[in-house]
Amino acid sequence: GQQLNQSPQSMFIQEGEDVSMNCTSSSIFNTWLWYKQDPGEGPVLLIALYKAGELTSNGRLTAQFGITRKDSFLNISASIPSDVGIYFCAGQYNFNKFYFGSGTKLNVKP
Amino acid sequence: SAVISQKPSRDICQRGTSLTIQCQVDSQVTMMFWYRQQPGQSLTLIATANQGSEATYESGFVIDKFPISRPNLTFSTLTVSNMSPEDSSIYLCSVATTGEQYFGPGTRLTVT
């Protein structure tokens, strides 16, 4: 199956700092998705990207679909304690196949 | 988007027994998926369940162990059969619509 490499695996940052995480793939995708998962909950969709080069924001979150269609990044600006959680990237190249990264665990110190 | 509910939210079961997890969606969807998530791990796809056809299982998962029903476009069940402690995990239902995938809250299963 497809391999998605997500980095970093974990981050410890101070409240107010910006955060950046990324995913790379050996194959191209048609869609990139970014999710956040809180403890004891299912993943929640944050941002969906559909075109190479697309840059999309959702509040303090910004994500981009890489030009090569093999990568994507997610930035969080001015982090706050409620940003704590695990962030997953996912890539899709046909309608019924989604591949997930291994997750980035974000810790924010107040 | 889609709103998904799952029952039960959590359960503790004895080894050798079976548990059926229900997934209800607030709109009609063609594609539903069942995932397993081990503690601290990413999501592993168990099977894809389309209404009116047999579920398609991923490598390492078999119908005898994880039978799935999909009686209509808003509902599905996953049964974890003959459970062992290795089946302790979070089981997630999800749906795909227009290129996006949405997840239920998950069922946390502990097998003793």
Side-chain angles (χ1 to χ4, degrees), chain A residues 31 33 35 37 40-43 45 48 50 88 92 95-98 100-102, chain B residues 31 33 35 37 41-43 58 92 96-105 108:
Chain A
T31 304
L33 307 168
Y35 293 86
Q37 187 174 27
E41 303 288 333
L45 182 63
Y50 301 101
F88 290 100
Q92 181 210 34
F95 188 60
N96 64 341
K97 276 293 186 185
F98 295 82
F100 286 83
S102 54
Chain B
M31 312 208 63
F33 307 88
Y35 286 84
Q37 187 178 31
Q41 302 293 315
S42 188
L43 299 107
E58 296 298 303
L92 293 152
T97 65
T98 60
E100 298 175 1
Q101 191 173 30
Y102 299 91
F103 287 87
R108 184 178 294 271

Side-chain angles (χ1 to χ4, degrees), chain A residues 3-46:
Chain A
Q3 294 288 327
L4 282 190
N5 298 307
Q6 184 171 351
S7 63
Q9 286 188 337
S10 64
M11 304 179 75
F12 292 83
I13 63 168
Q14 203 72 35
E15 181 177 1
E17 291 182 351
D18 297 344
V19 171
S20 185
M21 59 192 79
N22 70 82
C23 271
T24 59
S25 169
S26 56
S27 301
I28 63 173
F29 285 118
N30 293 327
T31 304
W32 280 97
L33 307 168
W34 284 93
Y35 293 86
K36 180 185 182 226
Q37 187 174 27
D38 291 326
E41 303 288 333
V44 173
L45 182 63
L46 300 172

